[in-house]
Amino acid sequence: MTLKRTTAKGHGGARKFRLALIALMGSTALMTPSPVHAEFRNLGDATPDTLWYQANGVSGNGRFVVGEGIEADNDDNEYSFLHDMSTGTTYNIGQMVPSLPTIAFDVSNNGAVVGAANVAAPNIRNAFRWTLDGGFENLGSFDGVSTAVDSIATAISDDGRRVAGYSYSSDSPWLPRAFIWVEGANTGVIDNRQMHVLASLTPVGRSLAEAISGDGLFAAGMSNVASGNYHAVRWDMRNITSNYISAVQDLGTLGGGNSMANGISRDGRVVIGWSQHGGPYGIHAFRWEEGGTRGGAANPQMEDLGTLGGESSEALAVNADGSIVVGRSDDDDTYDDRAFRWTRETGMIKVSDWLAQSGVDIGDVVLKSATGVSDNGGVIVGRMEDPESEDGETAFIARVAVPDPDPGHNPGPTPPPGILNVNEYNRTLYDAGYAGWAGRMVANVPLTGAHHRPMMNYPTQANGVCGWTNGDIAHYDDGRDTGVSLAEAGLCGDLLDGTMRIGLGGGVLHSQQDLMNNGDADLDGQYAIGELNWRPEGVPVLFSATGLYGGWDADIHRGYSNGAAMAYSDGDTDMRSGILRLRADWQNAFSLGSTGFSPYLAYTWGRTTVDAYTETGGPFPSRFDEQVVTTNEIRLGLASSTELTSTITLRGSMELVHATGDASRAKGQVVGLYGFDLGGGSFAETWVRAGADIDLRVTENTVISLSGHAATEGLDAQISGAARFQVLF
């Protein structure tokens, strides 16, 4: 048999909304702690040893998400994960039987996972429930536990005590039947007392349970009817442990042969899906309501929601109270898929028209399907196609403010309407997070500019007091052009008969970084820098320690598309950077002709903190958490010095640099929508840097030094230059 990879698990609008977002994100987990607040996490970035390629289910309270993954170095080792958004922890639940695949489909509010696991190679699977404390529990099949009969668990109640799915039996090996498994029950089938057969519409017809209510009392799916067709059904399971009976209700069709339920409202009174109708072609979305009267004479409870003018439509999700239905439909112009939103007042309209009513123009973007809706109907998610994007079909989130049904409720400021391309938008979030991370590189510019060599290597007389001024410029080109400029002044003096030099200075620094969509990040601030040089008498080694501490004001202007227009949200935050470099130069270790060579080794530690901030402006501002970046850097270099004349000295340097530390990360919340945690982990970079200096002694007491450097891509600027003026008092 073929085991599907996704399952319809909604028991209400919020849960259906969360699941739809999960399906949209592929390997990305999205979950919701409240109806219009969801959590997004790039699990691939968070766990580099694994590849998450499908997220399948989320708990009703939004805390847990489950899905499938493989080891990065072993494509054949497939397993499932549980991710806890409250702690940020991801668990590999492993395999129920070692080396055999295990797939998780749904998870309860307390982290109980259900799915299907191979128990006998190659194709025998059993339904399971897994908990962090107890591990795997084989739920078995209608033939009992640990049998060679297939069963699949597709959905679980909020408390984790009821599991829905379908199972085969040895008597009918090709006939799946829906089941409900009830923890602790003794009223199920003879060979598996906790597993109950859900009634079918025919004694020998197949049935599948696909969705379950949060309290576990209702389920929805399909069952064969006498004609051999299948109909959408709803099961009432309230009395199944007392009288062993589940009431199955044939929801019928719109006049055709087949229908299928895709979702159910929170209280179980509304079921949505698709049905064939009396016409020769296509299927139509339906909304079935308990006690409803708006359907046709033959089935008054099942209402035909129609189409957008084409032949087919399909309802994919419903909000909490069943009043708002979303899905996909052929349109009347091209017969291509279009996302729709249905209410009693508006009927079926395109989601693009719903947005246009609030002033949002989507331009050439095509909204293909709507696969989820929030409880209040103000947020719709689905798939879109942007002809100007290389992503192909991608996820969208559309939002329009809707009236609050509770007049005494204080929801806060009304969010502006808009639509975001999830893939593009998340890239801009990471872009903004990278701008903060780049603050560490910017803070390093003073040390790698005029301070790239120890003070004692600048030609001044010993045992005096000196002063310096310098200006530095630098340019990074790593896909985000960044320019840095600074001005600095300081004083230095010699101690211990000229064997030690100490200096202290301060400077101002400005940086501008280009971001996506004509956004930018500006840094302005001041720093203090201190340096201590020590050349022990009789030892050809110069030891130096250099420290910097600076504070920057960061203005981040982030751009993202809002349909046909470009929107911008602005953030203002503070950064603090501290850097310490320890270095040892073996001076004039060897020479070639008139050129002396000095190998050196340096270790640099740095830490930058970016304060948390909340953006303003735009339809989708975000709140960014504090970011702390630490780096460790080792430089192995060789410096040269050639005295061209009595007043001019040419210097050169070549160094190999290796750095490790915290990788760029963007973590926070898209205000009113979902949380995000992008990037993170650690990095390791190796690059090469070369430079040249010319020292010009203007007078006996003054020196001008000019330097330029070039580097391969790394944490150093690709091009930089510095001018330094030093005077002896």
Side-chain angles (χ1 to χ4, degrees):
M1 63 177 291
T2 300
L3 183 62
K4 64 180 182 176
R5 291 196 180 276
T6 58
T7 167
K9 298 175 278 293
H11 65 260
R15 193 170 188 182
K16 193 70 175 173
F17 172 50
R18 294 188 291 269
L19 293 166
L21 284 170
I22 285 178
L24 293 172
M25 302 302 177
S27 65
T28 300
L30 185 76
M31 44 202 317
T32 306
S34 63
V36 292
H37 294 78
E39 295 293 340
F40 168 100
R41 186 174 179 85
N42 185 328
L43 295 174
D45 287 338
T47 51
D49 293 334
T50 58
L51 173 63
W52 308 118
Y53 60 82
Q54 179 68 48
N56 290 333
V58 67
S59 60
N61 62 2
R63 175 176 173 178
F64 299 101
V65 63
V66 293
E68 305 162 57
I70 57 175
E71 290 184 354
D73 58 354
N74 185 356
D75 290 350
D76 296 325
N77 191 8
E78 178 181 321
Y79 53 82
S80 290
F81 66 84
L82 168 70
H83 184 72
D84 184 344
M85 275 308 300
S86 68
T87 64
T89 304
T90 301
Y91 303 94
N92 171 10
I93 73 171
Q95 291 86 30
M96 190 161 73
V97 176
S99 301
L100 295 181
T102 296
I103 300 178
F105 285 144
D106 200 10
V107 60
S108 70
N109 284 351
N110 53 13
V113 179
V114 295
N118 280 58
V119 294
N123 293 317
I124 304 302
R125 299 173 175 88
N126 275 181
F128 71 81
R129 185 177 67 165
W130 178 95
T131 62
L132 184 61
D133 294 332
F136 283 100
E137 180 180 6
N138 190 340
L139 305 186
S141 68
F142 292 142
D143 278 26
V145 178
S146 301
T147 63
V149 176
D150 275 326
S151 62
I152 310 295
T154 59
I156 188 170
S157 62
D158 284 346
D159 65 5
R161 294 175 57 85
R162 289 193 170 204
V163 179
Y166 53 93
S167 173
Y168 296 80
S169 67
S170 56
D171 293 337
S172 303
W174 305 110
L175 183 66
R177 299 289 295 274
F179 73 74
I180 179 72
W181 180 94
V182 182
E183 179 183 329
N186 194 34
T187 51
V189 297
I190 296 299
D191 294 318
N192 191 348
R193 302 299 287 172
Q194 296 181 93
M195 183 174 285
H196 303 71
V197 180
L198 293 179
S200 298
L201 297 177
T202 63
V204 294
R206 68 188 178 113
S207 59
L208 305 175
E210 297 285 350
I212 192 170
S213 59
D215 57 13
L217 299 181
F218 291 91
M222 57 78 66
S223 175
N224 278 116
V225 294
S227 65
N229 293 323
Y230 53 90
H231 286 183
V233 297
R234 183 185 70 158
W235 286 281
D236 183 341
M237 306 176 298
R238 287 176 289 185
N239 299 318
I240 198 165
T241 59
S242 59
N243 60 16
Y244 326 128
I245 295 175
S246 63
V248 60
Q249 186 171 6
D250 184 350
L251 305 188
T253 72
L254 295 173
N258 299 310
S259 62
M260 170 68 76
N262 286 333
I264 188 169
S265 64
R266 179 164 292 165
D267 61 5
R269 294 189 67 253
V270 174
V271 177
I272 56 93
W274 61 264
S275 174
Q276 294 175 330
H277 52 87
Y281 305 107
I283 60 174
H284 281 193
F286 75 76
R287 179 183 181 272
W288 181 95
E289 183 175 2
E290 180 181 320
T293 59
R294 298 178 181 274
N299 189 354
Q301 296 182 94
M302 182 176 284
E303 183 175 0
D304 187 342
L305 302 187
T307 72
L308 292 172
E311 294 178 347
S312 295
S313 63
E314 179 180 8
L316 299 175
V318 62
N319 74 327
D321 64 8
S323 63
I324 300 172
V325 181
V326 299
R328 51 145 298 275
S329 173
D330 302 340
D331 73 2
D332 56 356
D333 296 323
T334 64
Y335 281 77
D336 290 335
D337 284 347
R338 295 293 185 269
F340 77 75
R341 182 181 190 265
W342 177 95
T343 68
R344 177 75 56 215
E345 295 75 22
T346 66
M348 183 181 291
I349 64 172
K350 295 178 182 179
V351 173
S352 57
D353 291 338
W354 175 65
L355 288 166
Q357 292 169 3
S358 296
V360 180
D361 178 12
I362 68 169
D364 294 333
V365 171
V366 177
L367 306 185
K368 305 283 287 186
S369 63
T371 53
V373 59
S374 63
D375 276 1
N376 67 0
V379 178
I380 294 176
V381 300
R383 296 201 68 82
M384 62 176 281
E385 186 173 36
D386 185 348
E388 297 184 1
S389 172
E390 298 179 356
D391 292 337
E393 287 196 13
T394 185
F396 75 81
I397 299 177
R399 179 175 63 193
V400 169
V402 296
D404 192 332
D406 181 3
H409 178 236
N410 183 13
T414 301
I419 180 171
L420 59 84
N421 177 330
V422 175
N423 283 348
E424 180 221 50
Y425 185 87
N426 288 328
R427 285 195 291 268
T428 71
L429 292 174
Y430 182 77
D431 216 29
Y434 185 90
W437 185 84
R440 165 64 180 89
M441 297 191 298
V442 169
N444 206 42
V445 170
L447 272 72
T448 57
H451 293 273
H452 75 278
R453 54 179 167 134
M455 287 187 300
M456 277 188 169
N457 279 352
Y458 285 97
T460 58
Q461 295 178 358
N463 300 317
V465 176
C466 56
W468 79 83
T469 60
N470 61 267
D472 290 24
I473 56 172
H475 180 260
Y476 291 85
D477 184 12
D478 58 353
R480 302 170 178 86
D481 284 349
T482 303
V484 184
S485 58
L486 65 89
E488 178 186 298
L491 295 172
C492 54
D494 291 341
L495 303 171
L496 303 179
D497 296 327
T499 62
M500 181 176 291
R501 179 170 294 173
I502 186 170
L504 181 64
V508 293
L509 181 148
H510 171 77
S511 169
Q512 182 175 37
Q513 181 181 32
D514 291 341
L515 302 181
M516 292 176 58
N517 300 327
N518 295 317
D520 58 70
D522 290 340
L523 272 64
D524 288 284
Q526 302 81 38
Y527 64 89
I529 189 167
E531 183 174 346
L532 176 66
N533 292 181
W534 179 43
R535 184 190 293 131
E537 189 173 351
V539 178
V541 178
L542 172 60
F543 299 99
S544 62
T546 306
L548 177 145
Y549 183 81
W552 333 106
D553 177 71
D555 294 315
I556 301 175
H557 186 60
R558 184 173 63 89
Y560 48 89
S561 63
N562 180 30
M566 191 63 65
Y568 293 90
S569 294
D570 297 306
D572 184 2
T573 187
D574 293 324
M575 300 184 188
R576 296 170 300 282
S577 295
I579 303 174
L580 175 64
R581 181 180 68 197
L582 304 176
R583 173 167 165 163
D585 291 64
W586 184 4
Q587 295 193 304
N588 296 314
F590 63 94
S591 61
L592 294 175
S594 60
T595 301
F597 293 90
S598 303
Y600 59 89
L601 178 66
Y603 166 74
T604 304
W605 173 88
R607 186 178 192 270
T608 294
T609 300
V610 184
D611 288 346
Y613 66 96
T614 300
E615 295 175 324
T616 59
F620 298 104
S622 288
R623 182 176 64 252
F624 288 81
D625 292 350
E626 180 186 73
Q627 183 179 181
V628 178
V629 179
T630 60
T631 55
N632 296 274
E633 179 184 283
I634 295 178
R635 293 175 184 260
L636 179 62
L638 182 65
S640 65
S641 176
T642 306
E643 190 174 298
L644 300 179
T645 70
S646 60
T647 59
I648 300 176
T649 302
L650 178 65
R651 298 176 182 269
S653 64
M654 176 69 72
E655 54 190 17
L656 178 68
V657 193
H658 179 73
T660 61
D662 300 316
S664 176
R665 184 183 189 187
K667 183 176 185 295
Q669 183 91 12
V670 184
V671 177
L673 285 177
Y674 62 85
F676 56 89
D677 192 347
L678 307 171
S682 60
F683 78 93
E685 291 265 8
T686 301
W687 66 96
V688 176
R689 187 170 189 256
D693 294 42
I694 185 167
D695 294 337
L696 174 63
R697 186 182 294 274
V698 180
T699 69
E700 185 68 20
N701 295 329
T702 58
V703 175
I704 294 176
S705 298
L706 304 175
S707 65
H709 287 84
T712 59
E713 187 171 326
L715 270 66
D716 282 335
Q718 276 67 64
I719 298 293
S720 62
R724 177 181 176 113
F725 176 77
Q726 186 159 308
V727 60
L728 177 67
F729 299 110

